[in-house]
Amino acid sequence: MKSWLKGLNKEILALTLSVALGASFVLGVCALLVFYQQSKEQVLDRNREIAGYISNEINVRMSRALNAGALLAMDPAVREMDSAVLQPEMRRLFPIAGIFDGLALTDSKGEMVAFVPDQPGIIGLDLSQRSWVREVLTSGQQFISEPYIAATGNEVVVTATPVKDKTGKVIGVIGGSMDLKKSTKFSTIISSRSYNPEMVIQIIDRKGMFIYNTDKQLIMKKAEPSIVTEALFEGKAGACALEIGDEPYLIGYAPVEKLGWGVIVTYPSKAAFRSAIYLRNLIAIVTILLSILIFCIVYRESKAITKPLEKLMEGVKRVADGDYHFNVNVSSNNEIGILADSFNAMVERIKDMREDILEKQEKLEKANIELQIMAITDGLTKLYNHRYFQDCLGKAVSLAQEEVKSITLMILDIDYFKYYNDLFGHQAGDKLLEELAQLLIRELGPNDMVARYGGEEFTVILYDSDNRNGILAAEKIRAAVEAFPFPGREQQPDGRVTVSIGVASFPENAKSKEELVRLADEALYKAKCCSRNKVELYFSVLDDLKHDLNKSEAELINSIKMLVRIINAKDKYTFGHSERVGKYAVSIAEAIGLTTEEVQTIRMGAFLHDVGKIEISRSILMKKGPLTEEEFETIRQHPFWGAGIIKAVESLHPTLPLIKYHHERFDGTGYPLGLKEKQIPLQARIMAVADSFDAMTSNRPYTKSKNLDEAIEELRKCSGTQFDPEVVDVFLSILQAEKVKVG
């Protein structure tokens, strides 16, 4: 034993002892600390998440309350302030609103004229000194009150909405109350998340009063100041550990931004760390046993490792000194023996490979230069290839972003190139591609980048160029191609070789490289669809609409664009259909005199009316022959499917009637419900005319488009059967006055 404990053997044993004992201690302590920290962070994250959820739900609930109040204030009986029918009408409206615990209506002097649910002695009360009555009568705007004790004796919050007559004069106030103390619609927000009996959920208002507390006795009482309440008053959300009294608690909190309230979720630290204490004891036992086992194994195996390793070390030193005739002699069948044999074989191979390396290195350097050129060059046109174009575009976008400059991307496509290939053969087509490539180089500036995108498509990157310069350059290229005497051009459909060009710029149109390519491609597709031999600058009605919207509404438009893009990807024949339908429908709605909100609803509904087609297979959408009864039944379902998709987005609920009923017919023979005449919402009747008109004037797989006169005649023919006659008359007057562009 004494002779063995020297050199590497002694170091292995010492290291093993240190690692085994040190690992037992360090791993145990680290695991315990990590588990304590994870337990703490999980509880904090959970409390923060619950506080955030409740905060968001209160915001949503208050938004719904304001929307419900606005709808109730628009009720004809309420606006007329007809005392004979107000109380019955309020009883009817109360369950429809579905969010309030009480509903009150005052006149312009603040006197109660109607209240539900019915309570004796309420009618006639003077509420003019209530903050929500004074605020609405003074400002004419919606208002959310501070929590207070109502005439009914309940602690409530009121959302108040002005009632206006036809001239816009405020003639009353309608207030919806939500009870804070009883088990009501408001308190269900909290109870749905309070699944742990040790968890305490509290809500404070901007004055620090408890609006809600698991202990009902604390409601409407002052909360103790703390770093949590200070953070909430500053509008901050977060989580922290805090001592309340002598007990530590884990607290999550979040502000209710619309109201200035705060949500606080607390959980005892002792309850959070019960599992950690048990794990601490278990880790200590396992770590000690594992350390003993590791030591025993390493002690035995180290003796078998060190001796052959010394021979290998000697061999490595000899080879490092240039001696390639040394062999390591290790008689072992384990990995060290295999390593020794491999080492000997490696030494032999090194001797043979050294002579080849210098020769191959020289050849490799030449090949690398050739490969670098081939990697970025298109073999036919000698332009840059698709991959190099993508690299250059990415760098150009990044540089333009850093230097606050613009770049323009053009995508060119040869019109009727397949016809040219079929007529003259692929060799002639290749020659045409080569000549066009040289023409592009001649027409563009020395700093512009030209590449072959693929097939008959080419791309051009114009550095430090906006949309205006891009259009000028694209028109110059288009005119040059049209005038160039390509061989066989007189045999083309237009008697010449032409190109269609799509143009988009960064950052005017796109915010990323990928979006820039996609938008330029969409512009190219529009140019090809319209007439070919055309330059098309990217434009979308949706993008134009976003300029007048706030941030949240703009994000909503992005979601709408994504859904419409999915439909267009499945059915290219309807490319741009939703935007055109929106244009026609908005023109009709404005001519009829609908409100701004109603016009906006129609505009959004138009872009979403066919979203249910996402569920329909491409084979049915693109079928050229007649549909079977089963296939037509599938088509009939897309209004239901579309409504189901949009239903999940609360802000889009006003568009549901348009999506669901735009295929109903005025005579009651439409689908999905067979509604007729005024049963069909006006907005859906408008959508039916706009949708059918665009279908008539667009090419589909199963039918050829009608011209404008034919489409107008079809509208007149179907007026009163398929379409609302009044809507048809309005649309025909718009078309005759050329107030809207067709297509």
Side-chain angles (χ1 to χ4, degrees):
M1 170 70 84
K2 184 176 181 180
S3 61
W4 180 79
L5 288 176
K6 62 180 182 180
L8 183 59
N9 297 320
K10 184 177 180 180
E11 294 176 4
I12 290 176
L13 179 59
L15 179 61
T16 301
L17 287 170
S18 300
V19 170
L21 297 178
S24 299
F25 178 79
V26 173
L27 289 177
V29 172
C30 289
L32 184 60
L33 291 176
V34 168
F35 188 81
Y36 267 94
Q37 187 63 26
Q38 286 182 342
S39 299
K40 178 180 177 180
E41 290 177 355
Q42 287 174 357
V43 174
L44 288 174
D45 288 343
R46 180 194 65 190
N47 291 354
R48 185 192 301 113
E49 178 184 355
I50 292 173
Y53 170 86
I54 293 173
S55 170
N56 183 62
E57 282 297 298
I58 292 174
N59 275 322
V60 171
R61 188 66 58 93
M62 287 303 171
S63 295
R64 288 179 57 195
L66 291 174
N67 291 337
L71 291 174
L72 294 174
M74 294 298 293
D75 184 86
V78 174
R79 295 182 70 181
E80 292 297 329
M81 297 293 284
D82 186 350
S83 59
V85 297
L86 274 178
Q87 190 66 18
E89 183 66 6
M90 292 285 281
R91 292 194 197 100
R92 184 184 71 82
L93 294 174
F94 181 68
I96 295 177
I99 194 169
F100 302 117
D101 298 303
L103 196 61
L105 177 63
T106 75
D107 60 18
S108 60
K109 298 179 180 179
E111 182 176 328
M112 180 89 76
V113 295
F115 183 86
V116 287
D118 294 331
Q119 291 191 27
I122 295 295
I123 305 301
L125 284 178
D126 182 8
L127 302 183
S128 60
Q129 297 308 308
R130 293 294 191 195
S131 62
W132 56 273
V133 176
R134 292 200 316 271
E135 183 67 23
V136 174
L137 289 177
T138 302
S139 67
Q141 304 294 324
Q142 288 187 310
F143 178 74
I144 300 176
S145 76
E146 294 289 338
Y148 72 98
I149 299 177
T152 59
N154 299 327
E155 288 94 358
V156 299
V157 171
V158 175
T159 59
T161 302
V163 179
K164 301 180 180 179
D165 61 15
K166 294 181 180 179
T167 66
K169 179 182 178 182
V170 178
I171 59 174
V173 181
I174 188 164
S177 64
M178 287 173 282
D179 199 305
L180 302 177
K181 198 168 186 180
K182 297 180 180 178
S183 297
T184 61
K185 297 177 179 63
F186 183 85
S187 62
T188 55
I189 299 174
I190 296 94
S191 61
S192 65
R193 303 301 292 181
S194 182
Y195 55 84
N196 192 314
E198 295 181 280
M199 180 186 296
V200 176
I201 298 178
Q202 303 166 324
I203 302 177
I204 62 172
D205 66 10
R206 65 187 64 182
K207 296 179 181 178
M209 302 290 290
F210 283 117
I211 300 172
Y212 178 88
N213 197 301
T214 306
D215 182 1
K216 300 287 196 255
Q217 300 302 318
L218 294 177
I219 294 179
M220 300 301 293
K221 294 185 178 179
K222 187 78 171 181
E224 289 292 332
S226 67
I227 59 173
V228 173
T229 57
E230 291 176 3
L232 289 172
F233 291 151
E234 294 174 2
K236 298 178 181 178
C240 67
L242 186 67
E243 284 196 4
I244 302 177
D246 294 329
E247 292 293 326
Y249 287 86
L250 301 178
I251 301 177
Y253 54 93
V256 182
E257 296 176 354
K258 286 182 181 267
L259 306 174
W261 298 353
V263 180
I264 305 172
V265 180
T266 62
Y267 192 76
S269 297
K270 291 181 179 179
F273 297 142
R274 288 188 189 124
S275 299
I277 295 172
Y278 172 79
L279 182 62
R280 178 193 62 190
N281 299 331
L282 181 62
I283 288 176
I285 296 172
V286 172
T287 303
I288 292 172
L289 293 176
L290 184 61
S291 299
I292 295 173
L293 178 62
I294 291 173
F295 171 78
C296 294
I297 293 173
V298 174
Y299 180 85
R300 180 177 62 87
E301 292 297 320
S302 62
K303 292 190 292 184
I305 294 173
T306 54
K307 190 171 183 178
L309 282 178
E310 290 174 355
K311 293 183 178 181
L312 278 173
M313 184 175 64
E314 183 183 359
V316 170
K317 289 181 178 179
R318 297 281 291 272
V319 172
D321 292 336
D323 183 2
Y324 298 105
H325 302 284
F326 179 83
N327 286 324
V328 177
N329 184 17
V330 175
S331 57
S332 175
N333 295 324
N334 60 18
E335 286 80 357
I336 296 179
I338 296 173
L339 180 61
D341 294 338
S342 299
F343 176 82
N344 294 331
M346 180 186 68
V347 173
E348 291 296 323
R349 292 185 61 191
I350 289 175
K351 290 189 294 185
D352 297 333
M353 292 172 60
R354 288 184 66 198
E355 298 177 357
D356 297 334
I357 289 176
L358 293 176
E359 180 182 354
K360 290 181 178 179
Q361 184 176 0
E362 183 179 354
K363 293 181 179 179
L364 183 60
E365 289 176 354
K366 293 181 179 179
N368 282 337
I369 295 174
E370 295 176 358
L371 285 174
Q372 288 175 4
I373 296 173
M374 292 174 60
I376 65 173
T377 305
D378 175 62
L380 176 65
T381 62
K382 308 308 177 188
L383 297 175
Y384 293 120
N385 59 20
H386 181 274
R387 184 178 66 178
Y388 190 65
F389 156 73
Q390 292 287 356
D391 292 342
C392 290
L393 183 61
K395 294 176 182 177
V397 168
S398 298
L399 185 61
Q401 196 169 23
E402 292 175 4
E403 298 182 354
V404 195
K405 293 183 178 180
S406 298
I407 62 168
T408 298
L409 174 64
M410 286 188 271
I411 302 182
L412 299 79
D413 184 89
I414 302 176
D415 299 325
Y416 304 110
F417 185 69
K418 183 178 183 302
Y419 183 86
Y420 191 94
N421 264 344
D422 292 342
L423 189 63
F424 299 107
H426 288 283
Q427 289 184 340
D430 290 346
K431 183 65 176 176
L432 175 62
L433 293 174
E434 293 178 30
E435 292 184 354
L436 178 59
Q438 295 305 311
L439 186 150
L440 293 175
I441 292 174
R442 291 194 300 271
E443 293 296 326
L444 292 167
N447 296 325
D448 301 326
M449 190 267 192
V450 188
R452 186 181 181 191
Y453 195 63
E456 67 272 24
E457 288 189 339
F458 297 83
T459 58
V460 177
I461 301 175
L462 302 179
Y463 297 93
D464 197 12
S465 168
D466 56 13
N467 278 332
R468 179 177 176 276
N469 293 330
I471 287 294
L472 293 175
E475 280 291 348
K476 178 183 177 184
I477 292 173
R478 185 203 61 77
V481 173
E482 181 182 30
F484 192 80
F486 291 101
R489 63 175 182 164
E490 63 279 353
Q491 301 298 322
Q492 286 292 88
D494 294 330
R496 54 198 169 180
V497 174
T498 60
V499 293
S500 296
I501 306 175
V503 180
S505 293
F506 173 92
E508 288 89 341
N509 305 124
K511 303 304 179 186
S512 66
K513 180 192 81 170
E514 293 75 14
E515 186 180 16
L516 182 61
V517 174
R518 177 174 56 76
L519 298 186
D521 190 57
E522 285 187 14
L524 171 63
Y525 191 85
K526 285 186 179 180
K528 300 286 284 188
C529 286
C530 293
S531 60
R532 294 184 173 86
N533 191 22
K534 184 179 181 182
V535 173
E536 185 76 33
L537 175 65
Y538 171 78
F539 174 77
S540 171
V541 174
L542 285 170
D543 289 337
D544 191 49
L545 180 64
K546 286 168 62 178
H547 295 302
D548 299 326
L549 301 178
N550 59 39
K551 182 179 180 181
S552 61
E553 291 171 329
E555 291 174 353
L556 179 61
I557 291 298
N558 289 332
S559 299
I560 294 172
K561 287 179 65 178
M562 181 60 69
L563 292 173
V564 173
R565 192 174 296 124
I566 293 172
I567 299 171
N568 286 339
K570 293 183 71 174
D571 183 6
K572 278 292 187 182
Y573 287 94
T574 61
F575 187 88
H577 171 67
S578 298
E579 293 191 7
R580 295 193 299 271
V581 171
K583 177 176 62 176
Y584 302 145
V586 166
S587 296
I588 297 172
E590 291 175 342
I592 289 176
L594 297 187
T595 66
T596 303
E597 291 77 10
E598 291 170 330
V599 172
Q600 181 73 350
T601 298
I602 285 181
R603 179 181 280 111
M604 289 192 177
F607 300 131
L608 293 170
H609 75 284
D610 275 341
V611 72
K613 287 185 177 179
I614 293 174
E615 303 289 344
I616 301 176
S617 69
R618 184 180 178 86
S619 61
I620 295 178
L621 287 175
M622 302 296 291
K623 187 173 181 180
K624 295 185 178 181
L627 296 175
T628 65
E629 183 61 31
E630 182 179 358
E631 290 170 337
F632 187 65
E633 185 59 31
T634 299
I635 293 290
R636 283 173 175 265
Q637 299 304 310
H638 84 267
F640 279 125
W641 292 332
I645 294 171
I646 298 305
K647 190 175 181 181
V649 184
E650 185 173 347
S651 301
L652 295 178
H653 282 189
T655 66
L656 290 175
L658 288 77
I659 297 169
K660 196 170 183 180
Y661 304 125
H662 70 278
H663 279 298
E664 298 286 1
R665 292 171 58 99
F666 197 69
D667 59 6
T669 61
Y671 63 87
L673 299 181
L675 302 179
K676 65 184 298 184
E677 298 182 359
K678 303 299 182 182
Q679 294 176 339
I680 307 170
L682 174 59
Q683 293 168 323
R685 282 178 269 147
I686 292 173
M687 187 66 62
V689 173
D691 184 42
S692 298
F693 178 77
D694 188 68
M696 295 176 197
T697 55
S698 301
N699 284 320
R700 301 292 182 94
Y702 43 83
T703 182
K704 186 178 179 182
S705 66
K706 300 178 183 295
N707 60 36
L708 180 59
D709 292 337
E710 292 172 337
I712 290 174
E713 182 60 32
E714 184 70 15
L715 288 176
R716 290 192 176 116
K717 179 181 177 182
C718 297
S719 178
T721 55
Q722 183 176 353
F723 308 123
D724 183 338
E726 296 179 4
V727 176
V728 170
D729 291 343
V730 171
F731 189 43
L732 291 180
S733 66
I734 293 173
L735 292 175
Q736 290 168 357
E738 297 183 351
K739 293 182 179 180
V740 62
K741 183 178 179 181
V742 177

